[in-house]
Amino acid sequence: MLDILHNAWFTLTDVLSPHGPAVNAAKTYSPADFSVHFFLQLAVIILACRVVGWLGQKFLHQPQVVGEMIAGVVLGPSLLGLLFPDLQLAIFPKETRNVLYVGAQLGVGLYMFMVGLTLRLDHFQSKAKSAASVSAAGIAAPFLLAGLITPFLLTVPGLFTPGISQFNATLFMGACIALTAFPMLARIINERGLANSSLGTLSLTAGAFDDAASWCVLAVVLATFGAGPGVAVIAIGGAVLYAGFMILYGRKLLAPLGRAVEKRGEMSSQVLAITMLLFCLSAFLMDAIGIHAIFGGFLIGACMPRGLFVEELKRKVEPLAVVLLLPMFFTYSGLNTRMDMVNSISLLLIALGILAVSVLAKFGACYAAARLSGEDNRTALGIGALMNSRGLMELIIINIGLQKGIIGPTLFSMLVLMAIVTTVMATPVFEAVYGKKARETGELDQIDGRLATA
């Protein structure tokens, strides 16, 4: 027993040593090395997300999910890497991040699958006009304003890659501004007790459409930037065909799963295995065609049987997805985030300008569209506040832009700043314009039977 503890201690000190294998460029990582780092990383991630999430709830009245997003940035080069670079690199060596990436995709995909299970299609049908209007405004306004600011941004050295066309730059900026933090929007709605409300369903539906459109635009940019036209054709055409098929036939094809659960009175391991298999195939399909796995998870979740099937599935899967897997998504994105790139007054002013344009394009346009569609002022303000959140979806798309050579590190950092600010402001603004009054009148209790105290 003492030998085992002795070996374990030296393994841990070897991993954490700033001069050990974690930072040794010549180190060849074996499966055992990946395993050692992965479990240590997961422990650090869970601890950081719980602590930062609790602090955010206690002192800033932010939902747990916002704390987890900030925790991801804290664990990356922006804070931990800045203060303790050797320690940060020892815990998260670059060679092991591919493993973390896979866990991150599983976490966010599975969470969006659970969100799809709570989607109220009856609310969507009754609010179809409003959802379409909000979605259209949330796409059109960002691209219009992106067209106005991009020519100036192209004149600032280092923001875009030299040689990029104004057309591609405008499309990319429009996609970034048009994004809504779909996973974060869903989590805020769930934690605020709005999952079964018409406001929650309308916001989720419009957010899903906006994000899907942004990913399609990104596919067009990648195609015209060198990836080839086949990328855009496959991505957009495949997504439309799959979504259409699931909307028309998904509920009917998946109904036997619900009947099996109802007949047994619980979900068997066989039904759970089939459900997880279908989730994985749906996520794979969306990922393979160039959209994103989360849309595959959300879409098939929305088509799953309701009733006892959903209750059993959420009981078995949701705690693991939320507590263990989803935090990996936030941390992986935070590891690629640098907040020290905006290092001059002129660049800071540009960053603040991008932030202002983004808020006007999303909050303002979605609010106006909701009002024109017949929603009352308070509901429209609530929708605008929720739709304005960018979150980690923004970090995903700008990471792609950086990796593909569309934008430079400076613009990347400005867009990270915009993503964080719009996400952090979503909850207090929503509470001010909608949540506080809704609790006073009992609306949240009527919706979900719980108070929005997260």
Side-chain angles (χ1 to χ4, degrees), residues 117-358:
L117 293 173
T118 65
L119 184 66
R120 291 284 300 272
L121 294 180
D122 55 336
H123 282 156
F124 171 65
Q125 292 167 357
S126 66
K127 296 288 185 178
K129 180 181 178 181
S130 297
S133 299
V134 170
S135 178
I139 295 170
F143 281 94
L144 176 62
L145 291 181
L148 296 177
I149 67 172
T150 301
F152 166 73
L153 296 179
L154 285 169
T155 65
V156 181
L159 297 188
F160 286 98
T161 299
I164 189 173
S165 69
Q166 183 173 324
F167 175 76
N168 279 330
T170 301
L171 287 183
F172 184 81
M173 282 299 298
C176 290
I177 297 173
L179 272 176
T180 291
F182 194 30
M184 200 156 292
L185 170 65
R187 187 105 179 252
I188 291 173
I189 286 175
N190 283 342
E191 291 182 355
R192 284 294 181 264
L194 295 166
N196 294 322
S197 70
S198 60
L199 180 148
T201 300
L202 191 155
S203 299
L204 275 176
T205 305
F209 286 160
D210 285 2
D211 278 13
S214 295
W215 284 104
C216 290
V217 169
L218 178 63
V220 173
V221 174
L222 294 176
T224 57
F225 198 66
V231 172
V233 173
I234 293 174
I236 299 173
V240 170
L241 289 175
Y242 181 65
F245 175 82
M246 292 302 296
I247 291 172
L248 292 175
Y249 304 108
R251 280 291 180 93
K252 184 180 296 184
L253 293 173
L254 297 170
L257 294 175
R259 290 195 293 267
V261 173
E262 295 287 348
K263 182 178 180 180
R264 186 184 177 98
E266 63 177 0
M267 179 173 287
S268 67
S269 58
Q270 186 74 7
V271 172
L272 178 61
I274 294 173
T275 303
M276 291 296 97
L277 170 65
L278 293 173
F279 154 73
C280 290
L281 290 175
S282 184
F284 157 76
L285 181 60
M286 288 292 98
D287 228 358
I289 65 175
I291 301 297
H292 200 278
I294 65 169
F295 295 106
F298 176 78
L299 190 56
I300 196 169
C303 296
M304 284 288 174
R306 294 311 194 248
L308 184 61
F309 179 91
V310 170
E311 295 175 12
E312 283 287 292
L313 191 58
K314 292 185 71 174
R315 182 176 65 84
K316 291 176 178 289
V317 177
E318 190 171 48
L320 183 68
V322 171
V323 175
L324 183 65
L325 298 176
L326 189 59
M328 284 191 282
F329 170 75
F330 297 111
T331 300
Y332 180 82
S333 297
L335 291 174
N336 294 311
T337 301
R338 294 287 303 269
M339 299 300 295
D340 57 348
M341 297 297 295
V342 183
N343 52 15
S344 70
I345 297 298
S346 59
L347 291 178
L348 179 60
L349 290 176
I350 293 174
L352 293 176
I354 291 175
L355 173 63
V357 167
S358 300

